[in-house]
Amino acid sequence: MSFDYDLFVIGGGSGGVRAARVAAGDTGAKVALAEEDRYGGTCVIRGCVPKKLMVFASEYADMVEDAKSYGWSIAPGRFDWTAFRGKLEAELDRLEGIYRNLLKNAGVESFDQRARLVDPHTVELADGSRKTARHILLATGGRPVKPDMPGAELGITSNDIFHLPELPKSILIVGGGYIASEFAGILNGLGVAVTQFYRGAQILRGFDNEARGLVSEEMRQRGIDLHLGTNILEMARDGDGIRVKATNGTERLFDQVMFATGRAPNADDMGLEALGVERGRKGEVVVDEYSQTAVPSIHAIGDVTDRVNLTPVAIREGMAFVETVFKGNPTPVDHELIPTAIFTQPEMGTVGLSEEDAAEQEPIEVYSTSFKPMQQSFAGRADRVLMKLVVSKATRKVLGCHIVAPGAGEMIQLAGVAVKMGATKEDFDRTVAVHPTMSEEIVTMKAPVRSA
């Protein structure tokens, strides 16, 4: 049977674009890609990239204050959201253009419209045309969802935050994951009065308890009004604001309410169920270790599979798919020991197991230190940082590394190499410290603070 294409990719985010261009460029496959929104996906257009630029913007107020302590005569200025947003949008336009050119230069045919599946080898585009392909790759990502509650339509999500005409004077952020906690720090740094509600006992569920506890404490020190064990009962419009009734008995007025209470895979109304493609409890596309669905010609990568929802992971999954399907080199996706950073303020970097998860598996030793870093301490700040290693008693391997500090994301990338290689605590000990740095503490902790 002949097909229009060797591969048809649905979704123009980081994972889909990488798979499409590598399949076309490296193997000569005839490839097409359909994207109904902007190229670059969540990460480039409404996630990692604009968020990190907002993190940078939000940190300058502290820098100005700290500079005074170092002898600089600098007066605090006023943050201009309109000027920043204009430059941000121009940067996102530039990056989207790069993604489009990567596809074009690799010979990938692009369709700027929605696509759904008709049969295991056929997709139908929004204009009614149909295209056939030997292989179909779903890379449609995910989307933020609002809770089912009275007045939820009055709130915004992380998708909307970049497009506000002006910054609110006050905002309530609902949620305790990394998106909620990152934007709490960002908006607080930009001068917005930030309140954060989270229904759980501590933010950043699933991360190391000691690390997330310090992040929570530091967020409060920086002026974020964080309420744990708290949720919204109802919301209603009140003049130009939103009146919120909370489970803690309070009733307050906010200029904006942002929900960061979860994300859902973009797999609805794509014709998957009729073809026998299995969907999981959250609506995710179920795949095996080679990203193949129950239908052999259909694969899926990235957030739509709800495995590890990180951009570099989606890219790795896309590369493994090409190796397996187009290069004849079956390559399972490696989801073990993935380093990651949470761009809260302070940042958290983590790789491997938390102390709690490691202790459930085997006897461990914990090496941990928390201190005031030199730069902030000199400026009169009370900020604290954390360096932590979780070590197997039996093998001496470092099972987890957790850092809470400015630049933790940069540090954990390098620590991640050592942990991935199976470094032991003694390997860390043998490494000479770089002095004076915060990260030198990672290789100078000699005695465990506790065992479990």
Side-chain angles (χ1 to χ4, degrees), residues 195-207:
T195 301
Q196 183 177 354
F197 286 178
Y198 178 50
R199 64 185 181 183
Q202 186 55 278
I203 60 170
L204 301 173
R205 182 171 60 88
F207 291 97

Side-chain angles (χ1 to χ4, degrees), residues 41-330:
T42 294
C43 180
V44 173
I45 302 301
R46 50 194 168 270
C48 334
V49 172
K51 172 196 71 183
K52 190 67 184 288
L53 291 170
M54 286 184 74
V55 169
F56 290 146
S58 70
E59 291 175 337
Y60 280 102
D62 283 351
M63 291 181 190
V64 170
E65 288 301 315
D66 288 353
K68 293 180 183 177
S69 300
Y70 280 87
W72 288 91
S73 178
I74 299 177
R78 184 182 63 85
F79 177 68
D80 188 335
W81 168 250
T82 303
F84 172 77
R85 196 187 69 177
K87 191 165 184 182
L88 176 65
E89 289 170 351
E91 176 65 3
L92 300 186
D93 290 345
R94 184 186 73 84
L95 293 173
E96 183 181 14
I98 289 174
Y99 269 66
R100 286 180 174 275
N101 285 330
L102 286 171
L103 291 171
K104 181 180 178 182
N105 294 340
V108 177
E109 187 174 357
S110 297
F111 297 94
D112 293 357
Q113 51 188 303
R114 181 174 173 79
R116 64 191 309 276
L117 281 71
V118 176
D119 64 44
H121 294 283
T122 307
V123 299
E124 182 177 71
L125 298 170
D127 63 9
S129 62
R130 294 189 174 189
K131 307 294 179 183
T132 60
R134 186 177 303 277
H135 302 282
I136 296 172
L137 179 65
L138 306 176
T140 47
R143 66 188 185 280
V145 291
K146 295 179 183 178
D148 183 13
M149 56 160 289
E153 72 281 357
L154 299 173
I156 63 174
T157 69
S158 58
N159 281 3
D160 308 308
I161 201 78
F162 310 109
H163 307 296
L164 293 175
E166 59 186 23
L167 283 181
K169 289 184 173 60
S170 65
I171 190 168
L172 169 64
I173 297 178
V174 185
Y178 70 92
I179 294 174
S181 302
E182 287 175 339
F183 276 105
I186 289 168
L187 294 170
N188 179 63
L190 296 178
V192 179
V194 176
T195 301
Q196 183 177 354
F197 286 178
Y198 178 50
R199 64 185 181 183
Q202 186 55 278
I203 60 170
L204 301 173
R205 182 171 60 88
F207 291 97
D208 184 87
N209 281 352
E210 186 177 11
R212 64 195 184 120
L214 180 58
V215 171
S216 173
E217 182 183 320
E218 291 295 315
M219 287 171 64
R220 282 181 163 137
Q221 289 284 340
R222 291 166 186 246
I224 294 168
D225 186 16
L226 174 61
H227 295 262
L228 300 172
T230 305
N231 208 346
I232 292 180
L233 286 173
E234 61 182 74
M235 299 162 50
R237 177 65 66 188
D238 185 341
D240 292 334
I242 301 170
R243 186 163 295 281
V244 175
K245 290 184 179 179
T247 56
N248 62 4
T250 63
E251 185 173 324
R252 292 171 60 186
L253 195 65
F254 298 95
D255 291 338
Q256 287 280 5
V257 175
M258 173 181 153
F259 289 108
T261 48
R263 294 178 63 82
N266 285 327
D268 296 340
D269 192 29
M270 292 187 66
L272 301 180
E273 293 82 357
L275 303 183
V277 174
E278 185 183 352
R279 306 238 346 241
R281 184 174 58 85
K282 296 180 181 177
E284 74 274 15
V285 176
V286 177
V287 294
D288 65 14
E289 61 180 338
Y290 298 99
S291 298
Q292 188 178 50
T293 71
V295 180
S297 60
I298 301 174
H299 287 69
I301 61 170
D303 289 9
V304 75
T305 67
D306 195 35
R307 289 178 284 182
V308 179
N309 297 337
L310 297 169
T311 300
V313 175
I315 291 171
R316 284 294 188 95
E317 290 170 355
M319 297 291 285
F321 160 77
V322 173
E323 284 289 330
T324 300
V325 174
F326 287 94
K327 296 186 178 181
N329 176 29

Side-chain angles (χ1 to χ4, degrees), residues 370-445:
S370 181
F371 56 94
K372 292 182 181 180
M374 179 192 296
Q375 183 178 8
Q376 287 74 20
S377 180
F378 186 85
R381 294 190 179 276
D383 303 15
R384 298 193 68 82
V385 301
L386 171 73
M387 304 287 161
K388 180 173 183 176
L389 296 177
V390 180
V391 178
S392 165
K393 278 187 177 179
T395 66
R396 304 299 298 158
K397 278 188 179 180
V398 176
L399 303 176
C401 177
H402 310 283
I403 300 172
V404 177
E410 304 291 347
M411 296 184 214
I412 207 66
Q413 177 68 83
L414 300 179
V417 176
V419 176
K420 185 72 172 175
M421 290 177 69
T424 65
K425 177 61 170 68
E426 285 65 36
D427 290 327
F428 275 69
D429 292 343
R430 281 194 295 271
T431 305
V432 175
V434 178
H435 182 74
T437 65
M438 287 181 290
S439 56
E440 69 180 293
E441 298 290 337
I442 283 288
V443 300
T444 59
M445 295 183 289

